[in-house]
Amino acid sequence: MGTTLSYILFGFSLITFMMGVQEFLRKSSQKRVKYYYIATEMSSSIWSFCFGLIIVQTSSDTAALLRSIGMAGIFCFLASVVSLMMYWSNIHGKTAFCIRCFLLLAIPLYPFTISPSIATFERIPFGMSYELTPGLWNTFYTFYTLSIALIMIVLIIVMAKRSRKRDHVTAYGVLTCEIIILLGMILDTILPQFGYKALPGTAIAQFFGALLLGIIYHGYVKSQVTLENMSNFIYYSVNEPILIYDEMQRLKIVNNSAAEFFGDSVHEDTDTPLHEIFDVDEHILEMRGKHIGIEATCLCNQSYCMLGIDRITDFYGDTQGFIIVISDMTEKLAAIGALKLACQKADEANEAKSRFLANISHEIRTPINAVLGMDEIILREAQSQDIKNYAANIQSAGKTLLSIINDILDFSKIESGMMEIIEGDYLIGTVLADLASHISLRAQKKGLKLITEFDPNIPSVLYGDEVRIRQIILNILTNAVKYTETGAIQFHASCTEQSENQVMLDIFIKDTGIGIRKENIPLLFQSFHRVDEKSVHNIEGTGLGLSIVQRLLKLMNGTIEVKSLYGIGSIFYIHIPQKIVNHQPLGSLENSLPVMPKEYKASFEAPDAKILVVDDYKLNLQVIEGLLKQTKVQLTLISSGKECLQKIQHETYDLIFLDHMMPELDGIETLHQMQNMPENRNQNTPVIVLTANAIAGAKEMYLKEGFQDYLSKPIDSRLLEELVKKYLPDEKIYKV
Ligand code: ADP
């Protein structure tokens, strides 16, 4: 029986020894607590070993020696358990110092507890045993061990009082451990005090205590966030599903988010290969690089995922494992799909809007052509001044209507990115003078004074888009007149030289009109937005002008600024960089402002010239006839493509005007057939398209189809005459 117990204790000793060694070999950044724990397990091992050996001894001297070593183990065990508990209960400062001093009392006490007089050894049937001789040192020893038990209870209470759950678990664990040891102590410490033979009860109990401490210790370490286990906490707590494979491609970690994502189908510490979880190549983890990102469908839940696979390597570059971060793209893809659909719908709606704008303006331009054209003829031919006045009013209203349609067209051109800046040489003096004379008429009508200030040093010939520059300045000038009831309009133009070949054209237009509220200034350039609706509702406008001006300026790298005082007036500053073609200064424009011709007079006559005009809208034919009347050209007016194809076989013309939109055979088809007809006697005759289609890119399209030039409706009588003059043979033109 004694021998068996001796073996059992020897086994206990070995187990606690191994536990100590194992902890010693484990890497840990928590050095202090680690060494307390190792000391606990090692001293427990010595304790079990020595007291186990005592039982099988025959010589009391050897038994006494073994007891002496065992006692050292006991003191060390008590000291290291208390230190461990102090660490766990976070005791510092003076209290910790006092406890440590008390633990050190073991050193002076130790020699007395091993003195030969303190214990008498005797063999009993069970094996070697000893009896403690009652005396001062024994009482001290008992007092010491009971005090330590008391300190432990206090430390347990401190731990239990803390709010963390793991402190509570540790406290109850240590309490259980202490109770076990106290029970064991009855056999070899308490009973021998009363003269009973000592049995190694504490040696057995302390082993279970040490085992329990091991469990508590490892539980504590595991739940503590340290450098070593930080990665575990990260893997488990991140929201993204993560799988970790080891170097043998065994699934080691499935974080919480991944467990939720895969449901019950994927588990930690299994051999489930990646290609059984996702539709990926079965050799995917044999990757060479450190990272790959692939798209794959999850075989467990059919989600469409993005996998980020990182190969973890050691110092030597050998693979240690793989981290697979999974991004579920299903919802994102659905959102992207929905966004794409919404974009497509918005694009379609925008296109439909542009088409609608283009169509509506085309439809409106056709009748306006007749109105303005006929009106122009009345203006030219009427004898009565009253009728001329009425016609002038019709012309003014018609032109306003036309400018609104032109704005809408420009807007749709800009929106579709088709607005082009067409640059060329131009005379800035002519532009300024034209604009001034144009606006002076409107200003006069309202009783406004027009003050012009043109810097004579502006270089006379510049390079830029003359048409758009005229449009921009005219828009601001028109607004100034529109929104001013009394006072004056100041039109100022100067320039600042930027480089040898470039000037900044600085223009400002000042009025004494209704002004703009400060808070409305940023809203001025929004499309279709009219600020201060109440005060401007009786003034015609669409709220498009300034928005177009700003966008045109942007295309030319120019800028616009506004300063205004509500009720007092506004100033619009425009700056446009322009290239210099001729440095010669403009000089004074005062006397050269062109006077608008009051009476129309044809610029040439061509009685021998033959012109064919094709348009299905009879009124338009009459307009052209009326507008070209004074030039005396011979006009043949027909109303269909078919008729045109017949006429050209029998007659040679000097010029052909061909409408685009006609029923049956449209202008483009007619032109193509004309070009392919051997009987056509007009192969070399210029054909000019007549069209109300003025949308973005229209002119380019017609030229590409084979027309020589382009004339948009409503027909600008001046432009019509210029075109006729340009394309008729010189010998048929007579100056008037
Ligand atoms: P529209 O004149 O056709 O309404 P604009 O884009 O040219 O459109 O102008 C936008 C708004 O800015 C106008 O409706 C008007 O309220 C304001 N505005 C423009 N110019 C002036 C000005 N010179 N004085 C006062 N208000 C102006």
Side-chain angles (χ1 to χ4, degrees):
M1 165 77 180
T3 322
T4 318
L5 187 61
S6 174
Y7 276 126
I8 289 172
L9 282 172
F10 187 68
F12 285 173
S13 162
L14 206 65
I15 291 171
T16 44
F17 179 76
M18 289 314 294
M19 283 166 73
V21 171
Q22 194 193 20
E23 183 56 19
F24 182 75
L25 295 177
R26 195 178 69 85
K27 270 192 186 167
S28 165
S29 56
Q30 309 273 301
K31 293 272 186 283
R32 206 143 61 92
V33 66
K34 172 179 165 147
Y35 291 131
Y36 290 150
Y37 173 70
I38 294 171
T40 309
E41 296 301 333
M42 288 305 181
S43 47
S44 157
S45 172
I46 295 170
W47 188 345
S48 312
F49 183 76
C50 295
F51 282 82
L53 273 183
I54 289 175
I55 303 168
V56 289
Q57 295 309 309
T58 45
S59 142
S60 36
D61 286 347
T62 328
L65 180 68
L66 284 169
R67 182 177 172 274
S68 312
I69 304 170
M71 284 307 289
I74 291 173
F75 282 120
C76 280
F77 182 83
L78 294 177
S80 39
V81 171
V82 171
S83 303
L84 204 55
M85 288 173 69
M86 267 165 48
Y87 178 86
W88 284 334
S89 45
N90 212 8
I91 300 273
H92 296 289
K94 279 183 191 158
T95 325
F97 178 75
C98 293
I99 296 175
R100 281 200 188 99
C101 288
F102 186 77
L103 291 176
L104 287 175
L105 270 184
I107 299 170
L109 190 61
Y110 177 69
F112 298 101
T113 55
I114 59 167
S115 108
S117 60
I118 211 160
T120 29
F121 289 86
E122 188 187 338
R123 268 198 76 83
I124 54 170
F126 163 80
M128 182 64 86
S129 175
Y130 62 88
E131 195 181 317
L132 291 173
T133 324
L136 182 66
W137 293 113
N138 255 326
T139 316
F140 264 158
Y141 174 65
T142 313
F143 168 75
Y144 179 80
T145 47
L146 288 176
S147 304
I148 286 196
L150 203 69
I151 290 172
M152 283 184 183
I153 286 171
V154 173
L155 292 177
I156 287 167
I157 292 168
V158 173
M159 256 190 271
K161 277 199 160 180
R162 291 177 69 181
S163 60
R164 294 187 312 191
K165 239 184 183 168
R166 67 177 147 132
D167 288 320
H168 298 170
V169 173
T170 312
Y172 296 132
V174 177
L175 181 66
T176 318
C177 184
E178 194 173 346
I179 293 170
I180 293 171
I181 297 174
L182 280 175
L183 287 176
M185 274 171 75
I186 298 172
L187 292 179
D188 51 12
T189 310
I190 317 283
L191 288 183
Q193 299 289 339
F194 301 100
Y196 293 100
K197 295 277 177 294
L199 286 172
T202 320
I204 299 167
Q206 61 79 27
F207 164 73
F208 292 104
L211 262 190
L212 195 61
L213 270 178
I215 295 167
I216 297 166
Y217 171 78
H218 286 294
Y220 195 91
V221 168
K222 223 177 165 184
S223 61
Q224 209 174 20
V225 179
T226 61
L227 276 182
E228 288 70 39
N229 64 9
M230 177 69 88
S231 50
N232 274 354
F233 282 97
I234 294 170
Y235 296 146
Y236 282 108
S237 59
V238 286
N239 263 341
E240 216 80 338
I242 293 177
L243 299 178
I244 296 183
Y245 279 82
D246 67 7
E247 77 268 35
M248 306 301 290
Q249 302 188 10
R250 284 178 305 222
L251 182 53
K252 280 288 162 197
I253 293 181
V254 176
N255 78 345
N256 297 339
S257 177
E260 212 174 284
F261 180 67
F262 294 116
D264 207 27
S265 36
V266 177
H267 297 281
E268 275 188 357
D269 281 319
T270 54
D271 287 340
T272 320
L274 192 60
H275 66 264
E276 281 182 17
I277 305 175
F278 288 98
D279 67 338
V280 290
D281 190 281
E282 59 180 290
H283 303 294
I284 186 123
L285 293 186
E286 284 157 29
M287 59 200 255
R288 289 216 177 147
K290 286 227 163 176
H291 175 87
I292 46 171
I294 50 159
E295 292 164 12
T297 306
C298 175
L299 301 174
C300 317
N301 55 23
Q302 304 313 314
S303 302
Y304 182 76
C305 301
M306 192 68 211
L307 306 186
I309 307 178
D310 282 281
R311 187 164 66 92
I312 316 159
T313 52
D314 62 12
F315 179 72
Y316 301 99
D318 292 328
T319 304
Q320 291 294 304
F322 304 88
I323 303 177
I324 293 134
V325 181
I326 301 151
S327 311
D328 184 1
M329 304 293 288
T330 323
E331 274 178 27
K332 284 180 199 154
L333 273 185
I336 291 170
L339 265 182
K340 271 191 186 160
L341 204 72
C343 273
Q344 201 181 327
K345 277 192 180 164
D347 282 349
E348 278 169 15
N350 202 23
E351 251 174 55
K353 183 194 77 183
S354 298
R355 257 200 319 275
F356 170 75
L357 286 178
N359 286 342
I360 198 95
S361 67
H362 177 272
E363 293 311 313
I364 296 171
R365 287 169 85 89
T366 308
I368 293 184
N369 183 45
V371 172
L372 284 178
M374 290 295 184
D375 190 61
E376 174 77 29
I377 299 166
I378 296 172
L379 268 174
R380 285 180 193 179
E381 295 182 2
Q383 301 301 322
S384 141
Q385 192 51 45
D386 277 351
I387 292 183
K388 277 195 177 191
N389 285 348
Y390 298 145
N393 286 340
I394 294 175
Q395 196 178 51
S396 154
K399 282 191 174 161
T400 305
L401 185 56
L402 190 62
S403 83
I404 293 173
I405 290 158
N406 284 343
D407 273 357
I408 294 175
L409 270 178
D410 277 348
F411 179 74
S412 75
K413 269 190 198 171
I414 292 172
E415 283 278 283
S416 58
M418 299 285 283
M419 177 62 88
E420 275 180 49
I421 295 301
I422 302 162
E423 298 187 312
D425 298 352
Y426 69 97
L427 296 166
I428 182 70
T430 315
V431 171
L432 294 174
D434 278 359
L435 286 166
S437 67
H438 184 100
I439 209 66
S440 73
L441 288 178
R442 293 192 65 170
Q444 264 171 30
K445 272 189 199 162
K446 280 186 91 175
L448 301 171
K449 199 174 165 211
L450 178 74
I451 305 162
T452 52
E453 294 168 353
F454 301 141
D455 179 357
N457 295 317
I458 302 174
S460 56
V461 187
L462 299 178
Y463 182 83
D465 190 334
E466 180 188 345
V467 175
R468 296 302 173 190
I469 286 177
R470 277 175 186 268
Q471 183 180 349
I472 290 168
I473 302 174
L474 189 62
N475 206 303
I476 308 293
L477 282 170
T478 313
N479 275 354
V481 175
K482 255 177 19 181
Y483 297 108
T484 306
E485 286 312 314
T486 53
I489 312 291
Q490 188 182 348
F491 178 16
H492 170 101
S494 59
C495 70
T496 34
E497 209 159 297
Q498 289 206 308
S499 68
E500 175 68 9
N501 296 319
Q502 188 159 308
V503 280
M504 182 65 88
L505 206 52
D506 303 312
I507 289 161
F508 75 74
I509 291 151
K510 187 176 171 190
D511 65 55
T512 51
I514 58 170
I516 305 155
R517 287 178 211 270
K518 205 173 166 196
E519 65 272 21
N520 284 337
I521 289 182
L523 310 174
L524 284 181
F525 301 99
Q526 287 182 8
S527 321
F528 299 108
H529 194 99
R530 303 196 76 198
V531 299
D532 210 0
E533 286 277 357
K534 260 194 208 156
S535 2
V536 302
H537 77 278
N538 56 344
I539 304 170
E540 87 263 359
T542 52
L544 266 182
L546 286 180
S547 144
I548 294 172
V549 162
Q550 195 193 37
R551 294 181 197 205
L552 284 176
L553 279 168
K554 206 173 162 198
L555 288 174
M556 297 184 191
N557 297 321
T559 54
I560 180 164
E561 290 156 45
V562 188
K563 278 187 192 156
S564 188
L565 280 177
Y566 189 61
I568 305 243
S570 319
I571 313 182
F572 285 76
Y573 297 90
I574 302 166
H575 306 281
I576 319 169
Q578 294 286 278
K579 290 198 189 89
I580 305 170
V581 178
N582 189 339
H583 284 267
Q584 197 192 345
L586 177 68
S588 170
L589 282 182
E590 292 302 311
N591 302 322
S592 64
L593 289 184
V595 182
M596 293 290 256
K598 289 224 164 93
E599 285 293 325
Y600 165 79
K601 208 163 177 319
S603 57
F604 70 93
E605 280 181 7
D608 306 330
K610 286 184 180 166
I611 300 178
L612 177 67
V613 186
V614 191
D615 196 323
D616 64 313
Y617 195 53
K618 294 247 165 52
L619 276 178
N620 281 345
L621 293 174
Q622 286 179 31
V623 166
I624 294 197
E625 190 180 24
L627 292 178
L628 291 178
K629 195 170 175 184
Q630 286 193 27
T631 62
K632 299 194 174 130
V633 292
Q634 298 174 36
L635 287 172
T636 308
L637 306 171
I638 53 173
S639 53
S640 74
K642 259 191 190 164
E643 270 180 86
C644 172
L645 293 179
Q646 281 167 5
K647 284 273 180 223
I648 54 163
Q649 296 178 39
H650 304 114
E651 187 69 71
T652 311
Y653 297 97
D654 297 303
L655 186 60
I656 299 173
F657 282 103
L658 187 53
D659 182 29
H660 175 201
M661 296 295 204
M662 291 185 292
E664 288 182 44
L665 210 57
D666 75 14
I668 296 177
E669 275 176 60
T670 310
L671 178 73
H672 290 171
Q673 290 197 21
M674 278 164 68
Q675 287 167 339
N676 298 324
M677 266 170 73
E679 308 86 355
N680 180 6
R681 297 172 61 180
N682 293 274
Q683 289 292 6
N684 298 321
T685 307
V687 183
I688 297 173
V689 67
L690 255 185
T691 179
N693 179 4
I695 58 156
K699 186 174 178 182
E700 294 67 25
M701 185 270 282
Y702 289 118
L703 297 185
K704 225 170 120 192
E705 292 293 345
F707 288 99
Q708 201 82 25
D709 216 322
Y710 163 96
L711 184 63
S712 73
K713 293 178 199 170
I715 293 167
D716 178 335
S717 56
R718 197 175 46 89
L719 220 64
L720 171 71
E721 223 171 279
E722 270 174 25
L723 273 180
V724 172
K725 201 168 153 189
K726 181 177 169 188
Y727 288 104
L728 283 186
D730 286 345
E731 64 275 12
K732 291 196 176 172
I733 292 187
Y734 306 107
K735 294 266 177 310
V736 282

